[in-house]
Amino acid sequence: MPFSPVRQLFQISMLEQFPDIVFAYGVSDEYSFIWKETTQFYQRRSSKLLSLSVSYFTSVYVMKWKEFFPHKELKGPPYFDGRVVCYPRAKIVQDYLAWRQVDCHINNQYNTCFWMLVKSGKTQREAQVLLKGTQAKDKNELLFRQFNVNYDKLPQMFRKGSCVYRKKVEEVVKLDDTGNPVTRTRSKVVVEHMDIIGPKFWSELPYILKEECD
């Protein structure tokens, strides 16, 4: 899919369709869907959950194609590389998602440097040689020195990927007899681009993996 915000809509549709998916992380053409530990879909059979996820995601992809790209034909059915990873504890799930985000950063930084070099006149082989063995700091300096690009200012969607989850939001439903607001908490599926490396995100939103979000 050539346009990342469209992919985000597909991720949202997964959470809206399957309440037992509590979190999704996506970057480029790679997606992770976290099913809650107590899900009873297909008696918790991992192969069936994988098939369900891929089938629905693929069907949405095909059905929505014309809506977003009315003048471009879908040349063939989409294919996805799917896998199921069963982790026994929330901390290991957090570590897995942190690894996914680190991988997102590494790949995006490399690709940014690579294509900037190619656009500047280098061959793809020359760009590969120049980047071989470079560290993150080296790539940042290359982008700033040669192209006046501050990598940390590039869109977060590409540097950090997309996190999709149900966020608790408070809304006023009415006023009581004394005129004070009566509020309720509901869940809203949101897409955000933030750091999920380390404990900060999960400590601020502990209900995501604890299944307390109604």
Side-chain angles (χ1 to χ4, degrees):
M1 181 64 69
F3 192 41
S4 291
V6 177
R7 300 191 188 106
Q8 295 173 10
L9 294 177
F10 295 168
Q11 289 176 277
I12 290 173
S13 72
M14 289 290 291
L15 269 74
E16 292 176 338
Q17 179 70 17
F18 303 111
D20 282 6
I21 295 179
V22 296
F23 191 86
Y25 179 78
V27 56
S28 184
D29 58 351
E30 299 178 359
Y31 311 91
S32 295
F33 298 103
I34 308 301
W35 290 74
K36 69 181 182 180
E37 184 179 3
T38 57
T39 183
Q40 293 303 312
F41 267 103
Y42 290 115
Q43 294 77 49
R44 298 178 50 76
R45 293 173 61 185
S46 59
S47 61
K48 293 291 187 180
L49 288 175
L50 175 60
S51 177
L52 175 68
S53 301
V54 172
S55 295
Y56 182 77
F57 197 84
T58 302
S59 67
V60 173
Y61 189 108
V62 173
M63 290 187 296
K64 294 288 187 179
W65 180 271
K66 278 296 184 182
E67 180 178 337
F68 292 102
F69 307 105
H71 305 299
K72 187 173 183 179
E73 289 294 329
L74 180 61
K75 295 182 179 180
Y79 295 93
F80 299 99
D81 177 18
R83 70 190 66 181
V84 170
V85 184
C86 300
Y87 291 121
R89 295 191 302 274
K91 178 62 170 63
I92 303 179
V93 174
Q94 295 170 19
D95 290 344
Y96 164 75
L97 291 169
W99 167 77
R100 286 291 321 278
Q101 190 167 69
V102 169
D103 192 55
C104 164
H105 161 69
I106 292 172
N107 290 334
N108 185 69
Q109 189 184 46
Y110 180 92
N111 289 334
T112 301
C113 290
F114 178 84
W115 290 113
M116 290 295 288
L117 287 168
V118 170
K119 288 179 180 179
S120 71
K122 301 291 184 184
T123 66
Q124 293 191 16
R125 176 59 180 167
E126 289 172 336
Q128 290 173 344
V129 171
L130 284 170
L131 293 174
K132 185 178 181 179
T134 57
Q135 303 299 313
K137 181 180 179 181
D138 303 324
K139 295 182 181 70
N140 280 342
E141 290 179 353
L142 182 152
L143 287 171
F144 190 76
R145 185 177 66 253
Q146 293 195 27
F147 306 109
N148 197 31
V149 171
N150 185 339
Y151 178 78
D152 292 333
K153 298 296 184 181
L154 296 178
Q156 290 188 349
M157 176 174 60
F158 303 112
R159 292 186 293 112
K160 299 183 178 181
S162 301
C163 301
V164 185
Y165 63 98
R166 295 178 187 85
K167 190 172 188 177
K168 287 184 176 181
V169 294
E170 194 173 78
E171 60 184 9
V172 177
V173 294
K174 64 178 180 179
L175 299 178
D176 63 18
D177 294 339
T178 62
N180 293 318
V182 176
T183 62
R184 70 177 179 186
T185 300
R186 66 180 181 87
S187 300
K188 178 182 180 181
V189 177
V190 298
V191 179
E192 295 182 347
H193 316 288
M194 79 288 282
D195 288 320
I196 54 175
I197 301 172
K200 185 175 184 295
F201 171 78
W202 302 106
S203 63
E204 292 177 350
L205 301 168
Y207 57 81
I208 294 177
L209 296 181
K210 290 184 178 178
E211 304 176 20
E212 297 174 359
C213 194
D214 297 327

